[in-house]
Amino acid sequence: MGSIPADCTKSGTMQCKLCQGVLVVVSPSLVKRQKSHFHNLPCGASIILGNNGYVWLYPTPDQQDEEAGGCHFTSLEPVSRSDREVISRLRNCLLALAAHMVLLYDTSVIYCYESSLSHQIKDILKPEVMEEIALETRLRLVQQ
């Protein structure tokens, strides 16, 4: 367990102690600047989108500590298989979006996750599947 510099604020870098999740590193230019970079996704996972390209995926905690500001997660409980599968799918979706230069923010990640549900988690990394779900995501974002 360690710290990563998660650049999530206008004022600069905030040090976060994170556990029970997955770090995905993408190009910082793909992370959309927003008021909040901490999101609880409807699929049961949460995401922190750092302006520096560091993206942290983790299971949504049952209880939220308001004082922590979403940034001190220390749980030693095992992560359930279903949570691991959701996080793995989200990770592969982030890689697909990044490979096709789609801007990363909560809505694009949710749309990509939904588009990927018809595929097995491991198949999302196949180039033709990556292209398909990235295209579906782009179309949904344009229609929005």
Side-chain angles (χ1 to χ4, degrees), residues 3 6 8 12 20 37 42 70-72 95 101 106 125 134-135 138 140:
S3 295
C8 304
Q20 305 288 19
H37 289 264
C71 200
H72 188 74
L95 294 176
M101 306 303 284
D106 57 332
L125 295 178
L135 180 61
R138 271 201 180 108
R140 286 187 67 186

PDB file of all heavy atoms in Angstrom, residues 3 6 8 12 20 37 42 70-72 95 101 106 125 134-135 138 140:
ATOM      1  N   SER A   3       1.186   5.636  -1.642  1.00  0.00           N
ATOM      2  CA  SER A   3       0.493   6.846  -2.056  1.00  0.00           C
ATOM      3  C   SER A   3       0.781   7.124  -3.516  1.00  0.00           C
ATOM      4  O   SER A   3       1.851   6.814  -4.016  1.00  0.00           O
ATOM      5  CB  SER A   3       0.966   8.044  -1.221  1.00  0.00           C
ATOM      6  OG  SER A   3       0.607   7.889   0.115  1.00  0.00           O
ATOM      7  N   ALA A   6      -2.504  12.101  -6.897  1.00  0.00           N
ATOM      8  CA  ALA A   6      -3.722  12.197  -7.702  1.00  0.00           C
ATOM      9  C   ALA A   6      -4.060  13.670  -7.878  1.00  0.00           C
ATOM     10  O   ALA A   6      -4.588  14.303  -6.985  1.00  0.00           O
ATOM     11  CB  ALA A   6      -4.871  11.464  -7.025  1.00  0.00           C
ATOM     12  N   CYS A   8      -6.247  16.077  -8.621  1.00  0.00           N
ATOM     13  CA  CYS A   8      -7.701  16.140  -8.797  1.00  0.00           C
ATOM     14  C   CYS A   8      -8.262  17.518  -8.496  1.00  0.00           C
ATOM     15  O   CYS A   8      -9.468  17.714  -8.506  1.00  0.00           O
ATOM     16  CB  CYS A   8      -8.390  15.144  -7.861  1.00  0.00           C
ATOM     17  SG  CYS A   8      -7.835  13.463  -8.063  1.00  0.00           S
ATOM     18  N   GLY A  12      -3.707  21.854  -7.111  1.00  0.00           N
ATOM     19  CA  GLY A  12      -2.518  21.033  -7.297  1.00  0.00           C
ATOM     20  C   GLY A  12      -2.728  19.590  -6.930  1.00  0.00           C
ATOM     21  O   GLY A  12      -3.797  19.039  -7.086  1.00  0.00           O
ATOM     22  N   GLN A  20      -7.230  -1.661  -2.362  1.00  0.00           N
ATOM     23  CA  GLN A  20      -8.378  -2.424  -2.876  1.00  0.00           C
ATOM     24  C   GLN A  20      -8.854  -1.928  -4.233  1.00  0.00           C
ATOM     25  O   GLN A  20     -10.046  -1.878  -4.493  1.00  0.00           O
ATOM     26  CB  GLN A  20      -9.549  -2.399  -1.882  1.00  0.00           C
ATOM     27  CG  GLN A  20      -9.227  -2.876  -0.504  1.00  0.00           C
ATOM     28  CD  GLN A  20      -9.010  -4.375  -0.413  1.00  0.00           C
ATOM     29  OE1 GLN A  20      -8.762  -5.030  -1.401  1.00  0.00           O
ATOM     30  NE2 GLN A  20      -9.068  -4.899   0.784  1.00  0.00           N
ATOM     31  N   HIS A  37     -13.686  15.112  -9.577  1.00  0.00           N
ATOM     32  CA  HIS A  37     -13.072  13.996 -10.274  1.00  0.00           C
ATOM     33  C   HIS A  37     -13.303  12.679  -9.531  1.00  0.00           C
ATOM     34  O   HIS A  37     -12.745  11.659  -9.880  1.00  0.00           O
ATOM     35  CB  HIS A  37     -11.567  14.246 -10.444  1.00  0.00           C
ATOM     36  CG  HIS A  37     -11.282  15.322 -11.435  1.00  0.00           C
ATOM     37  ND1 HIS A  37     -10.983  15.063 -12.744  1.00  0.00           N
ATOM     38  CD2 HIS A  37     -11.288  16.678 -11.323  1.00  0.00           C
ATOM     39  CE1 HIS A  37     -10.806  16.195 -13.394  1.00  0.00           C
ATOM     40  NE2 HIS A  37     -10.978  17.187 -12.549  1.00  0.00           N
ATOM     41  N   PRO A  42     -22.799   3.784 -11.339  1.00  0.00           N
ATOM     42  CA  PRO A  42     -23.963   2.930 -11.056  1.00  0.00           C
ATOM     43  C   PRO A  42     -23.666   1.434 -11.115  1.00  0.00           C
ATOM     44  O   PRO A  42     -24.459   0.631 -10.633  1.00  0.00           O
ATOM     45  CB  PRO A  42     -24.977   3.331 -12.130  1.00  0.00           C
ATOM     46  CG  PRO A  42     -24.214   4.040 -13.172  1.00  0.00           C
ATOM     47  CD  PRO A  42     -22.989   4.607 -12.525  1.00  0.00           C
ATOM     48  N   GLY A  70     -13.279  11.704   0.034  1.00  0.00           N
ATOM     49  CA  GLY A  70     -13.116  10.664  -0.966  1.00  0.00           C
ATOM     50  C   GLY A  70     -11.682  10.221  -1.162  1.00  0.00           C
ATOM     51  O   GLY A  70     -11.351   9.677  -2.185  1.00  0.00           O
ATOM     52  N   CYS A  71     -10.823  10.440  -0.162  1.00  0.00           N
ATOM     53  CA  CYS A  71      -9.415  10.190  -0.453  1.00  0.00           C
ATOM     54  C   CYS A  71      -8.617   9.436   0.605  1.00  0.00           C
ATOM     55  O   CYS A  71      -7.425   9.559   0.646  1.00  0.00           O
ATOM     56  CB  CYS A  71      -8.733  11.511  -0.734  1.00  0.00           C
ATOM     57  SG  CYS A  71      -7.219  11.288  -1.648  1.00  0.00           S
ATOM     58  N   HIS A  72      -9.208   8.672   1.473  1.00  0.00           N
ATOM     59  CA  HIS A  72      -8.415   7.838   2.373  1.00  0.00           C
ATOM     60  C   HIS A  72      -9.130   6.510   2.522  1.00  0.00           C
ATOM     61  O   HIS A  72     -10.002   6.358   3.365  1.00  0.00           O
ATOM     62  CB  HIS A  72      -8.238   8.510   3.733  1.00  0.00           C
ATOM     63  CG  HIS A  72      -7.273   7.760   4.611  1.00  0.00           C
ATOM     64  ND1 HIS A  72      -5.924   7.785   4.406  1.00  0.00           N
ATOM     65  CD2 HIS A  72      -7.484   6.944   5.667  1.00  0.00           C
ATOM     66  CE1 HIS A  72      -5.333   7.036   5.334  1.00  0.00           C
ATOM     67  NE2 HIS A  72      -6.266   6.517   6.094  1.00  0.00           N
ATOM     68  N   LEU A  95      -8.950   1.460 -21.041  1.00  0.00           N
ATOM     69  CA  LEU A  95      -7.891   1.229 -22.029  1.00  0.00           C
ATOM     70  C   LEU A  95      -8.432   1.357 -23.456  1.00  0.00           C
ATOM     71  O   LEU A  95      -7.755   1.897 -24.337  1.00  0.00           O
ATOM     72  CB  LEU A  95      -7.253  -0.138 -21.810  1.00  0.00           C
ATOM     73  CG  LEU A  95      -6.485  -0.305 -20.491  1.00  0.00           C
ATOM     74  CD1 LEU A  95      -5.984  -1.739 -20.344  1.00  0.00           C
ATOM     75  CD2 LEU A  95      -5.342   0.679 -20.393  1.00  0.00           C
ATOM     76  N   MET A 101      -8.704   7.516 -28.209  1.00  0.00           N
ATOM     77  CA  MET A 101      -8.660   8.957 -27.937  1.00  0.00           C
ATOM     78  C   MET A 101     -10.031   9.562 -27.586  1.00  0.00           C
ATOM     79  O   MET A 101     -10.379  10.648 -28.023  1.00  0.00           O
ATOM     80  CB  MET A 101      -8.050   9.710 -29.130  1.00  0.00           C
ATOM     81  CG  MET A 101      -6.693   9.183 -29.559  1.00  0.00           C
ATOM     82  SD  MET A 101      -5.455   9.201 -28.249  1.00  0.00           S
ATOM     83  CE  MET A 101      -5.066  10.925 -28.198  1.00  0.00           C
ATOM     84  N   ASP A 106     -17.002  10.776 -16.222  1.00  0.00           N
ATOM     85  CA  ASP A 106     -17.938   9.786 -15.694  1.00  0.00           C
ATOM     86  C   ASP A 106     -18.911   9.264 -16.751  1.00  0.00           C
ATOM     87  O   ASP A 106     -19.120   8.060 -16.867  1.00  0.00           O
ATOM     88  CB  ASP A 106     -18.677  10.330 -14.469  1.00  0.00           C
ATOM     89  CG  ASP A 106     -19.431  11.617 -14.729  1.00  0.00           C
ATOM     90  OD1 ASP A 106     -19.027  12.394 -15.625  1.00  0.00           O
ATOM     91  OD2 ASP A 106     -20.427  11.865 -14.033  1.00  0.00           O
ATOM     92  N   LEU A 125     -10.222  -6.324 -24.706  1.00  0.00           N
ATOM     93  CA  LEU A 125      -8.876  -5.910 -25.098  1.00  0.00           C
ATOM     94  C   LEU A 125      -8.530  -6.263 -26.544  1.00  0.00           C
ATOM     95  O   LEU A 125      -7.487  -5.846 -27.043  1.00  0.00           O
ATOM     96  CB  LEU A 125      -7.844  -6.520 -24.146  1.00  0.00           C
ATOM     97  CG  LEU A 125      -7.943  -6.032 -22.704  1.00  0.00           C
ATOM     98  CD1 LEU A 125      -6.924  -6.734 -21.836  1.00  0.00           C
ATOM     99  CD2 LEU A 125      -7.779  -4.528 -22.621  1.00  0.00           C
ATOM    100  N   ALA A 134     -15.688   1.708 -28.348  1.00  0.00           N
ATOM    101  CA  ALA A 134     -15.313   3.128 -28.382  1.00  0.00           C
ATOM    102  C   ALA A 134     -16.227   3.882 -29.341  1.00  0.00           C
ATOM    103  O   ALA A 134     -16.662   5.006 -29.043  1.00  0.00           O
ATOM    104  CB  ALA A 134     -13.853   3.284 -28.783  1.00  0.00           C
ATOM    105  N   LEU A 135     -16.543   3.279 -30.478  1.00  0.00           N
ATOM    106  CA  LEU A 135     -17.438   3.905 -31.449  1.00  0.00           C
ATOM    107  C   LEU A 135     -18.846   4.050 -30.869  1.00  0.00           C
ATOM    108  O   LEU A 135     -19.478   5.112 -30.996  1.00  0.00           O
ATOM    109  CB  LEU A 135     -17.471   3.098 -32.745  1.00  0.00           C
ATOM    110  CG  LEU A 135     -18.362   3.643 -33.850  1.00  0.00           C
ATOM    111  CD1 LEU A 135     -17.902   5.034 -34.271  1.00  0.00           C
ATOM    112  CD2 LEU A 135     -18.366   2.700 -35.047  1.00  0.00           C
ATOM    113  N   ARG A 138     -18.789   6.896 -28.409  1.00  0.00           N
ATOM    114  CA  ARG A 138     -18.770   8.196 -29.096  1.00  0.00           C
ATOM    115  C   ARG A 138     -20.158   8.558 -29.610  1.00  0.00           C
ATOM    116  O   ARG A 138     -20.600   9.701 -29.489  1.00  0.00           O
ATOM    117  CB  ARG A 138     -17.807   8.150 -30.273  1.00  0.00           C
ATOM    118  CG  ARG A 138     -16.411   8.517 -29.928  1.00  0.00           C
ATOM    119  CD  ARG A 138     -15.644   8.946 -31.183  1.00  0.00           C
ATOM    120  NE  ARG A 138     -14.311   9.287 -30.816  1.00  0.00           N
ATOM    121  CZ  ARG A 138     -13.234   8.560 -31.097  1.00  0.00           C
ATOM    122  NH1 ARG A 138     -13.358   7.441 -31.769  1.00  0.00           N
ATOM    123  NH2 ARG A 138     -12.040   8.962 -30.722  1.00  0.00           N
ATOM    124  N   ARG A 140     -23.114   7.564 -28.552  1.00  0.00           N
ATOM    125  CA  ARG A 140     -24.007   7.909 -27.432  1.00  0.00           C
ATOM    126  C   ARG A 140     -23.688   9.291 -26.872  1.00  0.00           C
ATOM    127  O   ARG A 140     -24.592  10.030 -26.481  1.00  0.00           O
ATOM    128  CB  ARG A 140     -23.921   6.861 -26.328  1.00  0.00           C
ATOM    129  CG  ARG A 140     -24.638   5.574 -26.711  1.00  0.00           C
ATOM    130  CD  ARG A 140     -24.717   4.602 -25.593  1.00  0.00           C
ATOM    131  NE  ARG A 140     -25.570   5.062 -24.512  1.00  0.00           N
ATOM    132  CZ  ARG A 140     -25.712   4.435 -23.348  1.00  0.00           C
ATOM    133  NH1 ARG A 140     -25.044   3.329 -23.119  1.00  0.00           N
ATOM    134  NH2 ARG A 140     -26.498   4.909 -22.415  1.00  0.00           N
TER     135      ARG A 140
END
